[in-house]
Amino acid sequence: MEKLSAKTYDKTERPVKIIQFGEGNFLRAFTDWMVQKLNDETDFNGGIALVQPLPAGLIDLLASQDFLYTHTLKGIKNGEPVKEHLLNDSIVSAVNPYTDYEGYLGLAEVETARIILSNTTESGIAYEPEDTLEGPQKGFPAKLTALLHARFKAFGGDPEKGFAIIPCELIDRNGDKLRAVVERHAREWELGEGFQAWLAEANTFCNSLVDRIVPGYPRDRIREVWEELGYEDQLVVESEQFNLWVIESPAVLKELLPVDRTDCNVLFVEDMTPYRTRKVRILNGAHTTLVPVAYLYGIDTVKEAVEHPVVGKYISQAVYEEIIPTLDLPKEELESFAGEVMDRFRNPFISHQLRSISLNGMSKYNTRVLPSLEGYLREKGALPKRLVFSLAAMMVFYRGLRGEETIPVNDAEDILELYGKAWAAFDGSAEGRRTLARTVLGHAPVWTSDLSSLPGLLDLIVEYLGLILDKGMEEALKEALL
Ligand SMILES: NC(=O)c1ccc[n+]([C@@H]2O[C@H](COP(=O)([O-])OP(=O)(O)OC[C@H]3O[C@@H](n4cnc5c(N)ncnc54)[C@H](O)[C@@H]3O)[C@@H](O)[C@H]2O)c1
Ligand SMILES: O=P(O)(O)OC[C@@H](O)[C@@H](O)[C@H](O)[C@H](O)CO
């Protein structure tokens, strides 16, 4: 079978208009899809230059396919089930700053580039104290600072040569956070007042919120997919049809990225907060709540979980009875959004693996679920038992066993060490359960405060741990909640 490359596909040449930090599944199935639509449907004519944020990544593989890849969209569109294979040819180059730092800084001189996009996961927008202007820098904001500084120098501080910078990380007010770290590096590296003024005046950092379910590469069905495509593509990415990008934006962005001339679902708004809260707490919150419970129940995908008579009821009650009541938006609107989310979870064409959502589960619980748990406790004076049950299930999930099967738990080193030690010390006793729960609830790097101080939480977790460990997830769920 032929491999996808510029030999098999006639690639259009385009000037670089976008510099993109990140080559992962999400960006390729979301922003790059929008850029492709702009190229196909309007006179945008803009290419993407990729920057690989980590030393290891996909750009060599992408280069071996001349940056071409297939994006398969599956789901309901205008009421009809639709599956589309789209060939994306909008990426024009890629650079690894760790092996070609000069090439990386060279992007600063590309005059046509006016937009910077990123998705470096929730860990990416971080201050790295060891980084200096001498590259390659470790952190994404530090790399960006160096690039912006090179731009400033290349164009003599021309105020017309700044960028619109739109981070897509699922971090609250991601643009503000990124700007703050970049400004800090600029100050600490003593890049000068002229640069700092240019940074502030010529560049715009936009807060944004993204929403599209992207299960990614269909590893388990890939031969079947290649047969259907008629060529071999190592970078197929699958996503749902639904898309939403909310951008807090000045008018200039509409000119630079005229997505409103396509049918992409992009909202340019003054305040993205309500959209973010609704999405992160309901959609991502439901995912994170669901994962350990459904997985330990023996279920592998989101769809199976929401359609399961017991687990489906559990998650629905968690959303409608414990998450929605804590949100400060009209109830009707929230319930309608939740209904749409549940339909998206039931998407018959998408196989979204619970294990892939489980990545970094502890910090996801902290940002996506804990605010609902705390809000519920504050408002009702009682604990939301389904959200608490999920936290107990997560503690068992991190033991790394589903029956005889090993669960490949994926999280930060300190979390893996925490659980490794806690489970090694566990002796099966009631006191052992309490010690384990207290250790996890008190793990400062994840939570903002010691969660054992939340009234009743430790006791309820210990009770649920006992049920799950002694009776198994199926019985525990029945006994605790139904
Ligand atoms: N997959 C989805 O359904 C989906 C939907 C909406 C949002 N997201 C968000 O997108 C993020 C990426 O998801 P994905 O599916 O593209 O994952 P992926 O594993 O395919 O890509 C991850 C990308 O992040 C970079 N990265 C990882 N850790 C980093 C770090 N510490 N510093 C800098 N860069 C780092 C990698 O180099 C890579 O480019 C997720 O964290 C999630 O918050 C994903
Ligand atoms: O991508 P993650 O790992 O941050 O979170 C897993 C899912 O909750 C997430 O990918 C959602 O599917 C997505 O946020 C929908 O827009």
Side-chain angles (χ1 to χ4, degrees):
M1 188 179 286
E2 263 188 330
K3 293 187 182 196
L4 177 63
S5 76
K7 287 195 199 102
T8 62
Y9 185 85
D10 190 14
K11 200 175 169 189
T12 312
E13 291 205 9
R14 313 178 203 278
V16 169
K17 292 195 175 168
I18 294 165
I19 298 172
Q20 175 173 300
F21 290 81
E23 80 295 21
N25 288 313
F26 179 74
L27 286 178
R28 284 187 293 112
F30 187 75
T31 46
D32 300 351
W33 166 77
M34 293 192 184
V35 174
Q36 185 68 33
K37 278 177 81 74
L38 277 168
N39 283 326
D40 291 343
E41 297 168 19
T42 75
D43 58 359
F44 179 68
N45 189 33
I48 302 164
L50 289 184
V51 179
Q52 186 172 285
L54 295 178
L58 293 176
I59 66 164
D60 290 342
L61 196 53
L62 271 157
S64 75
Q65 300 191 172
D66 299 312
F67 310 112
L68 295 164
Y69 67 94
T70 313
H71 174 197
T72 302
L73 293 103
K74 298 173 171 181
I76 311 292
K77 195 173 166 185
N78 305 325
E80 297 293 326
V82 180
K83 173 164 143 189
E84 299 167 276
H85 296 299
L86 305 180
L87 207 296
N88 194 308
D89 75 343
S90 291
I91 300 173
V92 300
S93 66
V95 65
N96 180 346
Y98 298 86
T99 54
D100 180 12
Y101 190 66
E102 289 302 304
Y104 167 62
L105 283 191
L107 290 174
E109 291 169 25
V110 180
E111 197 166 355
T112 48
R114 296 297 312 281
I115 296 169
I116 292 183
L117 302 174
S118 71
N119 196 343
T120 57
T121 77
E122 279 147 301
S123 324
I125 303 187
Y127 169 72
E128 293 289 346
E130 306 291 313
D131 279 336
T132 66
L133 187 59
E134 197 95 335
Q137 298 79 12
K138 182 172 175 228
F140 155 54
K143 287 188 191 74
L144 178 59
T145 310
L147 186 82
L148 293 171
H149 185 247
R151 177 84 165 184
F152 170 74
K153 285 202 316 190
F155 292 100
D158 184 345
E160 298 301 316
K161 294 292 187 297
F163 291 104
I165 301 162
I166 324 174
C168 298
E169 287 80 356
L170 274 188
I171 296 175
D172 197 12
R173 308 204 70 74
N174 45 19
D176 294 346
K177 294 242 159 75
L178 180 58
R179 184 183 49 225
V181 185
V182 168
E183 285 173 350
R184 180 170 180 187
H185 284 307
R187 270 195 316 276
E188 291 181 355
W189 297 352
E190 298 179 349
L191 300 181
E193 282 179 14
F195 172 65
Q196 291 185 48
W198 177 84
L199 181 61
E201 284 152 26
N203 297 276
T204 310
F205 289 79
C206 306
N207 292 311
S208 96
L209 168 84
V210 295
D211 192 2
R212 166 169 270 178
I213 295 174
V214 182
Y217 185 66
R219 194 168 304 285
D220 49 338
R221 288 175 289 109
I222 195 62
R223 303 223 157 255
E224 209 181 293
V225 172
W226 290 345
E227 286 300 326
E228 195 177 324
L229 295 172
Y231 54 82
E232 187 182 315
D233 179 350
Q234 304 278 348
L235 287 154
V236 175
V237 60
E238 291 191 348
S239 78
E240 65 175 337
Q241 293 278 359
F242 178 91
N243 69 99
L244 173 65
W245 196 6
V246 184
I247 311 178
E248 267 182 21
S249 49
V252 65
L253 188 60
K254 267 193 182 173
E255 281 165 43
L256 291 176
L257 196 68
V259 269
D260 52 341
R261 288 167 55 200
T262 68
D263 61 0
C264 298
N265 193 14
V266 181
L267 304 179
F268 294 104
V269 301
E270 280 188 17
D271 180 11
M272 55 159 267
T273 314
Y275 296 95
R276 183 195 135 81
T277 309
R278 192 179 69 169
K279 189 250 170 173
V280 171
R281 298 274 288 275
I282 294 181
L283 189 157
N284 300 106
H287 265 166
T288 300
T289 303
L290 183 62
V291 166
V293 177
Y295 196 77
L296 293 174
Y297 204 100
I299 293 170
D300 289 330
T301 66
V302 174
K303 176 175 154 51
E304 290 169 76
V306 292
E307 287 183 339
H308 188 277
V310 179
V311 179
K313 185 171 167 197
Y314 162 78
I315 196 60
S316 167
Q317 286 173 327
V319 169
Y320 287 93
E321 294 171 28
E322 299 182 353
I323 296 176
I324 286 183
T326 66
L327 296 175
D328 193 15
L329 284 166
K331 188 168 174 231
E332 238 173 61
E333 198 185 296
L334 292 167
E335 290 192 342
S336 144
F337 178 80
E340 277 168 28
V341 166
M342 290 299 166
D343 286 346
R344 289 167 64 195
F345 286 179
R346 280 186 211 104
N347 184 340
F349 309 106
I350 289 277
S351 167
H352 202 180
Q353 297 293 321
L354 296 169
R355 258 171 42 191
S356 81
I357 301 172
S358 75
L359 170 76
N360 298 331
M362 288 279 281
S363 65
K364 282 181 187 162
Y365 194 94
N366 182 48
T367 52
R368 305 174 182 190
V369 186
L370 188 62
S372 299
L373 187 154
E374 289 178 325
Y376 190 98
L377 182 60
R378 234 180 357 258
E379 278 165 36
K380 314 243 180 216
L383 284 164
K385 51 188 187 171
R386 292 169 191 90
L387 302 185
V388 175
F389 188 83
S390 167
L391 184 52
M394 187 178 288
M395 294 179 189
V396 180
F397 182 92
Y398 274 75
R399 185 173 54 162
L401 282 177
R402 178 166 75 169
E404 302 286 297
E405 188 192 326
T406 306
I407 308 172
V409 179
N410 223 327
D411 211 316
E413 252 166 59
D414 67 297
I415 303 285
L416 297 181
E417 200 184 317
L418 166 88
Y419 275 110
K421 284 190 184 153
W423 279 109
F426 180 62
D427 61 3
S429 68
E431 204 37 50
R433 290 197 289 271
R434 182 165 288 273
T435 306
L436 185 125
R438 196 184 289 114
T439 307
V440 176
L441 294 178
H443 188 66
V446 181
W447 322 113
T448 34
S449 59
D450 184 344
L451 297 188
S452 311
S453 63
L454 290 178
L457 185 63
L458 179 61
D459 287 343
L460 195 55
I461 293 268
V462 173
E463 182 190 326
Y464 288 159
L465 277 179
L467 281 174
I468 299 168
L469 291 170
D470 294 347
K471 306 198 169 177
M473 184 52 78
E474 194 172 337
E475 265 315 299
L477 196 51
K478 256 192 222 145
E479 226 169 275
L481 308 163
L482 297 176

